[in-house]
Amino acid sequence: MLAALSVSCANEDDYTHEIPISRSAENELLSKKTVQVNPENPANAYDIAGRIHNEILDAYLSCTISDSTINAVSSKIDSISYLNTDLQNLPSPAAPNFQQIQQIVFSAQLQLEQILAGSPMSAAAKNSLSQFMSWVPAWQGYPYGDVHSQIISFEAGIINNVQFTAEEKRIILTSSAIARHSLYFESERKDKDWETSVGNRVGAVQGALSNSATAVARSLLAGILSRN
């Protein structure tokens, strides 16, 4: 596997979830010692998407060659993904639409609004996911232990919401799992050369409309391109 890797380098009113960490508690939270926690949430049936995302991203960033085109980034992600046995057990990812990915990179918030508007989810589910996506930027820079608790609480609300369909829960929980693991990845990178982008999260939402594997691939592609 190491040898192969080296080659690869050449969705409303009933919304009741917790609100983001309040600004009034900012000084207290920032003064806390970071809680050493792992990013998993066993209660989230789609948690594997976040774990695979981080594994592939770590392998990608370990490569010394920088990719300058969307095709090159996509090809490298594909070659690294081929080595991930967990990803091989998921439904095959849909082929990427490079024009859509580029639109996410350059106008992520607008694309998120359009993706949610065009999704088959109910208004309440769309609102829940939109709220969550608006909270994530406010969490960056806080101790990961606190952020992890907030996301776990959000996901519990989604899991226990009897109004959401199984498909709506799958889309939201896949997206939140990737965001939760991405924030952990960012907090653990000592060189700080990776910062979770809006594109990374919007790519996950767009891909989650298809399946978990597509969510991982779209999130990685949009996130890496935003960084590059």
Side-chain angles (χ1 to χ4, degrees):
M1 289 181 64
L2 289 175
L5 178 58
S6 65
V7 173
S8 71
C9 289
N11 291 9
E12 260 182 323
D13 294 334
D14 58 345
Y15 187 73
T16 58
H17 307 308
E18 288 192 19
I19 61 174
I21 301 169
S22 67
R23 288 296 181 185
S24 62
E26 182 175 359
N27 292 335
E28 178 184 353
L29 287 175
L30 291 176
S31 65
K32 287 182 179 180
K33 185 175 182 179
T34 302
V35 179
Q36 295 300 315
V37 296
N38 63 49
E40 282 79 18
N41 179 14
N44 184 338
Y46 308 98
D47 197 66
I48 189 172
R51 178 163 58 80
I52 293 173
H53 170 279
N54 282 13
E55 291 173 355
I56 296 176
L57 179 58
D58 187 53
Y60 182 97
L61 294 179
S62 70
C63 297
T64 57
I65 300 175
S66 179
D67 302 302
S68 58
T69 68
I70 190 171
N71 299 75
V73 174
S74 182
S75 294
K76 185 177 291 184
I77 290 173
D78 287 344
S79 64
I80 296 173
S81 298
Y82 180 77
L83 302 175
N84 192 293
T85 55
D86 288 327
L87 187 62
Q88 294 168 11
N89 293 326
L90 297 179
S92 299
N97 181 314
F98 289 163
Q99 182 177 0
Q100 290 178 344
I101 296 297
Q102 289 177 319
Q103 290 173 338
I104 289 174
V105 172
F106 293 115
S107 56
Q109 186 57 41
L110 176 60
Q111 291 306 306
L112 174 62
E113 294 170 2
Q114 294 180 353
I115 290 167
L116 291 177
S119 77
M121 295 190 293
S122 65
K126 292 177 182 180
N127 184 63
S128 293
L129 184 49
S130 178
Q131 287 271 17
F132 175 78
M133 293 288 284
S134 70
W135 293 344
V136 178
W139 287 331
Q140 290 178 284
Y142 283 90
Y144 183 75
D146 298 297
V147 174
H148 183 267
S149 296
Q150 294 289 322
I151 299 179
I152 295 297
S153 178
F154 168 81
E155 292 178 335
I158 298 298
I159 294 168
N160 296 323
N161 191 314
V162 298
Q163 296 185 13
F164 292 169
T165 67
E167 180 67 359
E168 289 171 339
K169 291 182 180 182
R170 181 193 66 77
I171 294 169
I172 297 172
L173 292 172
T174 299
S175 302
S176 63
I178 292 177
R180 173 164 36 79
H181 281 263
S182 295
L183 289 169
Y184 176 81
F185 187 94
E186 178 182 335
S187 70
E188 289 296 295
R189 284 191 69 85
K190 306 304 181 184
D191 53 5
K192 300 303 178 185
D193 65 348
W194 173 265
E195 180 176 324
T196 303
S197 68
V198 179
N200 174 273
R201 299 187 294 276
V202 176
V205 174
Q206 184 197 55
L209 294 175
S210 296
N211 56 51
S212 294
T214 305
V216 171
R218 301 283 173 87
S219 178
L220 288 166
L221 187 52
I224 291 169
L225 288 169
S226 296
R227 170 181 179 266
N228 289 357

